Every structure is written in C-alpha cells, then in structure tokens.
Amino acid sequence: MTKNIAIIGGGVVGATTAFYLTKNPDYKVTLFDEATGQGTSASAGIISPWLSKRRNKEWYQMVKLGAAFYPEMLADVLAGAAIPHEVYQKVGTLLFTKKDKQLEELLEIGKKRREEAPEIGDLKILTPAEIKDLVPIYTKDKRALFAAGGARVDGKELVALLIQTAINNGLQLIQERAQLKPNKSDKYHVQSPSLTETFDAVVLANAAWLPETLAPLGYEVDIRPQKGQLVELQTDWETDTWPVIMPTGEKDIIPFLDGKILIGATHEDEAGYDLELEENVLEEMVENAQEQFSTAIQRQDIQKGRVGTRAYTSDYAPFFGEVPQLKNVFTASGLGSTGLTSGPIVGKILSDLVCGNQPALDPKKYPIENYIQKNNA
C-alpha cells in the first residue's frame, strides 16, 4: 500500500528528507515550500565544525556526523557522477585566532578530534607566507591553522540539486505555504492555496516558521528567528581552489568558482522575520574582511546580497523527533548557523523516523519535548 507523506519546508532539511523518501517506490511524497526567507537558499556554508570550542557534546556529535555525511549523501544524489564544485568542494579551511598562541591549543584539539573524525585531514599552522601561497591576496601578518578536510557548500545550489533529483524520483513540489490540520485515525490534512490532501505522515521542516505551524494546534514552540545577511562579490581573481577563510568573529570569507566570494553572515537576533537587505551592513562586512584578511577586498566588487532566517532555541541546542501527541508528525529545528553542516544528516534522520528505521543519532539526546509542548488549558 502506498504511503502518502507531506513535507512542509524545502530548505536543506526538507530537501534531504524528500530525496531519501522518494527513493522508496512505495511512498508518494509532496513537498510544500513557499521559500520566502528560507535560510538555506540564502546561505553559503563552511563544512568545518571540528575546531569549535562549543561545549555542547550532542551538538558536536551532530555537526561532526553531518560533516562526514556530506560525501555519502552527494554520492547517493549523484549516483556516482562527479560532485559539481559549485555545490560542494573540499578546499580546506584557514582558521584565525585573536591571539597567536591559541593556534597551538586549537591544533591539539584538532589532533585529538581527528582520532574519531579522520575527515579533518592534515592539520598545520601556516605562516603568513604560506597563507599567501594559498590565497595570493592575503596582506596581513597573522598565522592561521589549516584543516585540509574543510569544505565549502552553496546552500542554494545544494537545495536545487536535492529537489530536482527528488522530482526525478517522483516528488510533487507545491511552491506554496501550507497549513497542518489533524484528521481522524492519525491522518492529517495539509492545505495550501491550490491543494488540500490527506497524508499518513507529515514532516515539518520549516525551521523558524515551526511555531506558526503548530500554534493553531495548541502548541508552544521554543524557537526564535534570527536574520542573516551575506554579501556576494564578483572579482577577477582565480578563486577556484582557495580555502575557506574563518577570521576572528562571525564574518567568514568563502571563495567559490570564477572569482565569486561570499562574506558573512550577520547574526541579528532582534530583526525577527525581516528580510530587507541593508546596503550599509553589506559594506561593513567587506570592510571587516579588509581589516582582518586583505586590503585587496573592495566595496566596488559587491554584486548583490543574500538574506535569510535561521532558527534557534533558547539554549541554542537542536532537536528532532515525533511531535508530542501528534503521531506520525516529525520535525527538527534549532540548527541555527550550523544548519548547512547538520541539515543533510538531520534530513536523513527524519526520513528514517518516517520509515521506522533506526536513525544515526538517538532522538532521546535531542529531546523534542523540551522545546515543543502541548497547551492543554
């Protein structure tokens, strides 16, 4: 018997879930995604979580597994074809610190973590001259830690690849906002302007908009939106093999093919769901890159900006699982700025939960009931 499954939200989590579910010929899968404000399509990511000093062990396990999962996931999607470099490429990561002596500390952390995550690759502290050999525009005099296993990913390109492959597998894509309404016998109506249908299972992958979906059903959801802006430069430099650059602070420099460079992103907690691009903010990010990495980076190279919305919990921890008191409704959220790193593995986990398979991470360690509660008043 065919199982009818709905997915609400088409960012990296929803798109990965859709891809894996459409591999099963017994599933009919419909993805609802209106796309406004979607964090993934506005993002460019650094897949290099291993040197973080964040102390949340469950978060680290998720992002470590997420980084390792990327080649496997892309091999599944591309069926053995070469990975397009505009989507994902291992180029290494340059990590800078405020104080030079902190580099040795990070090197030791990296070596220890490499025992369980060999995908980190070679680790080495580079001199300014060695950095300049990798990135010829470097004009500062600081050393950096290089991790060879670091990668770059363009969220927009990744989601497009996942969704198109899922469509080839039979996915129905409805580019509209959808509402969830319970039905009898543990089934659910999902309604959009052009379609109302009954589903056996539903995946809520709409990140910062999860509270909006569950509030009409009497739920309180511990999720807040955070605005993120990036600036895209188009240069004449040969950037194809440049590593990803992580200066101090939150404004990373991510080179792509053919001279394209992204800088960002901002972390704006008070902006809510605002999606306005602010020219002064884009210029400030370029100035920050000048100060920390290279005076060759210029404002006149700004081509455009990107803006999207991330989802955070109050304690910055992610969660996933079956929504309390809603059988066969699954969700994940709270991935924050590491959504591109952890999104594919979380999407695979949600597909496993729908299928009744054992997921790669234990849901009990990412307790959904701590963040989604039914208001029974």
Side-chain angles (χ1 to χ4, degrees):
M1 180 180 293
T2 300
K3 189 173 184 178
N4 202 15
I5 303 167
I7 302 169
I8 298 177
V12 64
V13 173
T16 308
T17 306
F19 164 69
Y20 279 104
L21 288 176
T22 56
K23 291 182 69 176
N24 189 325
D26 294 328
Y27 293 166
K28 177 187 174 185
V29 185
T30 303
L31 173 63
F32 297 87
D33 183 41
E34 193 264 342
T36 298
Q38 183 196 103
T40 305
S41 291
S43 63
I46 298 173
I47 310 304
S48 184
W50 313 286
L51 302 175
S52 171
K53 290 187 176 182
R54 188 171 170 179
R55 295 181 180 180
N56 186 315
K57 293 181 180 179
E58 304 308 336
W59 170 85
Y60 178 71
Q61 289 301 314
M62 177 180 283
V63 295
K64 182 187 75 171
L65 188 61
F69 181 62
Y70 254 89
E72 176 185 338
M73 178 266 292
L74 287 167
D76 288 343
V77 173
L78 294 164
I83 298 172
H85 287 174
E86 65 269 22
V87 176
Y88 171 91
Q89 186 179 6
K90 281 191 177 183
V91 290
T93 306
L94 281 172
L95 179 66
F96 291 81
T97 56
K98 290 184 178 180
K99 297 180 179 179
D100 187 76
K101 65 181 182 180
Q102 294 173 323
L103 291 171
E104 279 76 12
E105 178 185 348
L106 281 179
L107 177 61
E108 293 308 310
I109 291 174
K111 288 180 177 179
K112 184 175 181 179
R113 289 181 172 175
R114 191 170 55 186
E115 295 173 4
E116 294 184 353
E119 58 273 10
I120 293 176
D122 292 337
L123 291 163
K124 182 181 179 182
I125 296 175
L126 301 185
T127 66
E130 290 172 321
I131 295 171
K132 191 173 178 65
D133 286 340
L134 292 176
V135 188
I137 66 167
Y138 184 57
T139 58
K140 304 302 176 180
D141 59 0
K142 296 184 68 174
R143 298 191 304 165
L145 178 60
F146 180 71
R152 63 191 180 201
V153 59
D154 189 312
K156 185 176 182 179
E157 297 288 345
L158 175 62
V159 165
L161 175 64
L162 286 164
I163 290 180
Q164 185 56 58
T165 308
I167 289 172
N168 296 343
N169 291 344
L171 174 73
Q172 179 180 214
L173 175 62
I174 306 295
Q175 294 178 303
E176 299 170 349
R177 185 164 293 192
Q179 295 178 312
L180 173 67
K181 298 182 178 180
N183 193 9
K184 297 178 181 179
S185 304
D186 295 326
K187 293 183 181 290
Y188 300 90
H189 287 314
V190 176
Q191 181 178 357
S192 75
S194 68
L195 179 69
T196 299
E197 195 168 327
T198 301
F199 294 90
D200 301 298
V202 179
V203 174
L204 304 178
N206 51 348
W209 287 267
L210 183 60
E212 179 183 287
T213 301
L214 289 176
L217 305 183
Y219 285 87
E220 294 182 2
V221 181
D222 177 9
I223 283 291
R224 62 173 174 83
Q226 184 192 73
K227 180 180 179 180
Q229 299 183 68
L230 296 94
V231 59
E232 182 175 325
L233 309 181
Q234 185 58 52
T235 75
D236 295 327
W237 303 320
E238 296 180 3
T239 56
D240 292 13
T241 60
W242 287 9
V244 171
I245 301 152
M246 301 177 69
T248 57
E250 299 174 330
K251 310 301 187 297
D252 300 319
I253 302 169
I254 311 171
F256 281 90
L257 303 179
D258 302 321
K260 184 174 80 171
I261 296 176
L262 273 70
I263 302 173
T266 63
H267 292 70
E268 303 172 51
D269 290 333
E270 306 303 322
Y273 295 93
D274 172 45
L275 295 173
E276 180 182 358
L277 274 168
E278 300 165 83
E279 185 175 346
N280 65 308
V281 173
L282 304 185
E283 292 178 351
E284 287 172 5
M285 285 190 281
V286 172
E287 291 171 2
N288 182 268
Q290 289 176 332
E291 293 171 3
Q292 295 208 50
F293 189 76
S294 175
T295 54
I297 298 171
Q298 298 293 323
R299 278 190 280 180
Q300 59 261 33
D301 291 326
I302 295 176
Q303 185 179 48
K304 60 183 177 180
R306 301 184 184 187
V307 60
T309 308
R310 307 182 189 93
Y312 277 96
T313 58
S314 58
D315 62 358
Y316 297 92
F319 65 84
F320 62 82
E322 189 175 49
V323 176
Q325 301 182 47
L326 283 182
K327 187 177 180 181
N328 294 322
V329 176
F330 304 92
T331 191
S333 193
L335 305 185
S337 59
T338 54
L340 267 183
T341 300
S342 56
I345 191 62
V346 171
K348 177 63 165 62
I349 286 169
L350 289 175
S351 71
D352 286 331
L353 292 175
V354 170
C355 298
N357 298 331
Q358 183 68 33
L361 293 170
D362 183 357
K364 293 180 181 179
K365 295 184 178 180
Y366 304 85
I368 191 171
E369 64 273 11
N370 288 358
Y371 305 96
I372 300 179
Q373 298 180 352
K374 179 77 168 177
N375 186 351
N376 294 314

